[in-house]
């Protein structure tokens, strides 16, 4: 008996770990040369994109602990998020938790009682575009809600679902839920490598360059896995976790309903070495939404970057570097900050996540075939597409197969 896990993103890694630790023989098949999927290190070690977790991502943090990687995720801004507003040049800290807004210094602009109540109404109210819900509170929307929407839903506020943001808001009330963490050394050493090592310690193994081309089915079961150069006939007791991205899952299982549209995230990684500590700064009215400063480099995130995904590196890098210099000056970030734009690597993830628009989330069957369970961020209807959703979906797929 073997359990074949197709796709070594976070969903596949989480499923493989649970199954291997339950004593099942697990073989992961990954199409690309690296594991990690949309949260991976590129061959030169650069992250595909900055990934942040918050305390509310309890499944992700527990997974990190289990694979021995929790210490690699540091909290760069425990005193509140530094935010630079390029519209007026103001630089201040903002608390992510409304519980801390009693301190005026940490309260976002426009955070009146009625504005905060309006935001909170999204946790329970009817589903509609967030810009519509917040229309009467433009300052609070601009300075807090909109950046939160873009960061968590990767969808512009004019089209993003208030109910999906509500799923996030409901989780942000608990103790420590808004503490923000990033990988100190990168997604390779702080996530993917330790996850693979834990799976291997539990007896599982991975093969790279193994793209599943066709899933052969008969009588409501998966009967063979066709990888092109080789294929695997599935025995009576063999099982499958399909943990591929939505478009690929639909190609393999054509009756699946999957998210209709995706949104890009653009990341720029600048080659600039500097001293500790790690810093994480937000910007308003800027190309850069977030700037992550690590000793190994400076990374910029542009989520919901429909327009930016069409621009060239020559257009993006000098603009971003000019903004980074302003961040470094405003928050006195130590180290050298050359005026000339350093070498930069642009990574455009065109289908980073589904667009989270109003409407009920998809609820695909966890087991569409008798011996096959689905996993992937898009299959977890209780959260937007995130690392936490991917891990929870992988664990749910493993449970569904173990329950048999
Ligand atoms: C730039 C960027 C920034 C992000 N920032 C954050 C963040 O800050 N916080 C957060 O929580 N989330 C963030 N996300 C979202 C998060 O990365 C994803 O939700 C999560 O990684 C999805 O994991 P997954 O396993 O569901 O899918 P994937 O990561 O897509 O994994 C699927 C895997 O299947 C493989 N595969 C595909 N087809 C086949 C096939 N036919 N055969 C074999 N293998 C196949 C792929 O190569 C891939 O490894 C971000 C995403 C991006 C792109």
């Amino acid at each position: 008996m073997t359990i074949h896990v197709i796709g070594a993103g976070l969903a596949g890694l989480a499923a493989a770990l649970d199954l291997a630790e339950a004593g099942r023989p697990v073989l992961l098949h990954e199409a690309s040369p690296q594991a990690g999927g949309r949260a991976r290190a590129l061959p030169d070690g650069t992250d595909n994109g900055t990934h942040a977790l918050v305390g509310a991502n309890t499944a992700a943090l527990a997974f990190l602990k289990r694979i021995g990687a929790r210490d690699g995720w540091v909290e760069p801004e425990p005193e509140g998020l530094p935010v630079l507003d390029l519209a007026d040049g103001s630089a201040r800290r903002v608390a992510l938790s409304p519980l801390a807004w009693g301190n005026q210094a940490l309260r976002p602009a426009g955070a009146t009682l009625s504005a905060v109540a309006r935001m909170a109404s999204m946790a329970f109210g009817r589903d509609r575009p967030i810009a519509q819900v917040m229309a009467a509170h433009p300052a609070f929307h601009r300075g807090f809600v909109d950046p939160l929407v873009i960061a968590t839903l990767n969808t512009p506020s004019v089209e993003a679902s208030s109910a999906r943001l509500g799923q996030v808001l409901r989780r942000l009330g608990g103790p420590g839920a808004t503490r923000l963490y990033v990988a100190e050394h990168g997604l390779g050493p702080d996530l993917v490598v330790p996850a693979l090592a834990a799976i291997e310690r539990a007896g599982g193994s991975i093969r790279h360059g193994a793209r599943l081309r066709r899933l052969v089915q008969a009588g409501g079961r998966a009967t063979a896995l066709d990888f092109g150069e080789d294929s695997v006939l599935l025995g009576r007791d063999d099982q499958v976790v399909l943990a591929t991205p939505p478009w690929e899952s639909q190609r393999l299982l054509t009756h699946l309903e999957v998210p209709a549209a995706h949104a890009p995230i653009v990341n720029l990684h600048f080659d600039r070495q500097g001293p500790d500590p790690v810093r994480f700064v937000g910007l308003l009215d800027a190309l850069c939404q977030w700037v992550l400063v690590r000793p190994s480099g400076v990374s910029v995130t542009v989520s919901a970057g429909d327009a930016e995904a069409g621009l060239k590196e020559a257009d993006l890098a000098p603009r971003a570097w000019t903004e980074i210099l302003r961040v470094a000056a405003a928050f006195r970030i130590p180290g050298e900050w050359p005026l000339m734009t350093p070498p930069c690597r642009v990574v455009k993830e065109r289908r980073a996540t589904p667009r989270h628009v109003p409407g009920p989330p998809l609820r695909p069957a966890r087991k569409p075939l008798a011996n096959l369970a689905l996993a992937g961020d898009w299959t977890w209807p209780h959260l937007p597409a995130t690392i936490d959703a991917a891990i929870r979906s992988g664990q749910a797929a493993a449970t569904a197969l173990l329950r048999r």
Side-chain angles (χ1 to χ4, degrees):
M1 174 217 196
T2 303
I3 305 193
H4 300 272
V5 179
I6 315 296
L10 266 306
L13 292 171
L17 182 62
D18 273 13
L19 292 163
E21 287 192 346
R24 303 297 195 272
V26 172
L27 179 52
L28 261 162
H29 305 265
E30 168 55 47
S32 75
Q34 305 90 29
R38 278 169 281 154
R40 69 190 181 286
L42 303 172
D44 68 357
T46 314
D47 293 348
N48 68 322
T50 298
H51 279 69
L53 294 173
V54 290
N57 297 145
T58 50
L61 294 173
F63 181 78
L64 289 173
K65 196 166 171 196
R66 227 169 119 194
I67 62 173
R70 179 64 188 84
D71 289 347
W73 288 70
V74 296
E75 190 179 7
E77 306 295 344
E79 312 298 328
L81 269 181
V83 176
L84 176 64
D85 187 341
L86 291 191
D88 60 7
S90 62
R92 55 191 300 251
R93 284 186 185 266
V94 171
L96 270 179
S97 168
L99 299 176
W101 293 349
N103 177 353
Q104 200 187 340
L106 292 175
R107 194 184 306 156
T112 58
L113 265 184
S114 64
V116 177
R118 195 77 182 137
M119 176 180 75
S121 76
M122 289 191 264
F124 310 100
R126 118 181 125 80
D127 194 10
R128 53 202 171 119
I130 292 165
Q132 229 178 66
V133 180
M134 297 306 300
H137 304 281
F140 184 51
H141 181 242
R142 171 184 178 272
F144 188 79
V145 179
D146 190 50
L148 182 69
V149 172
I150 302 230
T152 57
L153 304 186
N154 188 32
T155 307
S157 282
V158 284
E159 58 178 280
S161 150
S162 59
R164 298 293 259 170
L165 187 67
Q167 293 179 323
V168 177
L169 294 172
R170 282 199 294 276
R171 287 174 164 77
L172 292 182
T178 56
R179 291 174 73 171
L180 184 135
Y181 304 96
V182 293
E184 183 170 15
H185 303 290
L187 296 170
D190 294 330
L191 179 61
V192 180
V193 172
L196 284 174
I199 291 165
E200 277 166 11
R201 274 197 305 277
S205 51
I206 181 166
R207 57 182 205 130
H208 290 282
R211 177 169 185 256
L212 182 63
R213 291 176 196 265
R214 204 161 61 95
L215 182 64
V216 186
Q217 301 160 55
R221 300 176 60 81
T223 54
L225 303 173
D226 175 2
F227 291 97
E229 282 178 5
D230 60 299
S231 55
V232 178
L233 278 182
L234 298 173
R236 259 188 72 80
D237 292 328
D238 292 340
Q239 294 178 306
V240 179
V241 175
L242 187 62
T244 48
W247 54 91
E248 194 65 1
S249 299
Q250 191 186 47
R251 186 185 66 75
L252 293 162
L253 281 178
T254 48
H255 66 277
L256 276 187
E257 192 189 348
V258 300
H262 289 79
I265 300 181
V266 177
N267 272 262
L268 287 84
H269 303 284
F270 291 94
D271 187 2
R272 180 264 179 194
Q273 267 77 51
D276 267 336
V278 177
R279 300 297 308 268
F280 192 73
V281 180
L283 286 96
L284 297 174
D285 253 29
L287 164 69
C288 309
Q289 293 156 358
W290 303 101
V291 174
L292 172 65
V293 182
R294 292 186 287 200
S296 56
V298 179
S299 299
V300 160
T301 302
V302 186
S303 296
D306 292 302
E308 290 78 4
L311 297 179
K312 296 196 187 77
E313 179 188 319
D315 301 318
L316 293 166
R319 265 174 74 194
W321 188 251
T322 305
E323 293 179 2
I324 290 169
L325 292 181
R326 292 186 66 178
V327 164
F331 295 101
R332 295 198 179 84
I333 301 184
E336 288 187 20
W337 294 94
L339 288 179
M340 285 266 290
T341 308
C344 168
R345 174 164 195 177
V346 180
V347 183
K348 296 176 182 171
E349 291 277 9
R350 293 183 190 276
R351 292 189 283 192
T353 68
R355 295 181 103 85
H356 296 98
V357 294
L362 294 176
R363 292 177 187 275
R366 186 62 65 203
K367 274 183 78 182
L369 300 176
N371 60 342
L372 178 145
L374 269 187
D377 56 0
W378 66 280
T379 70
W380 190 255
H382 318 287
L383 282 174
T386 49
I387 289 181
D388 208 54
I391 288 174
R392 286 174 194 269
S393 76
Q395 293 171 344
T399 304
L401 294 185
L402 290 170
R403 201 183 287 136
R404 194 178 65 140

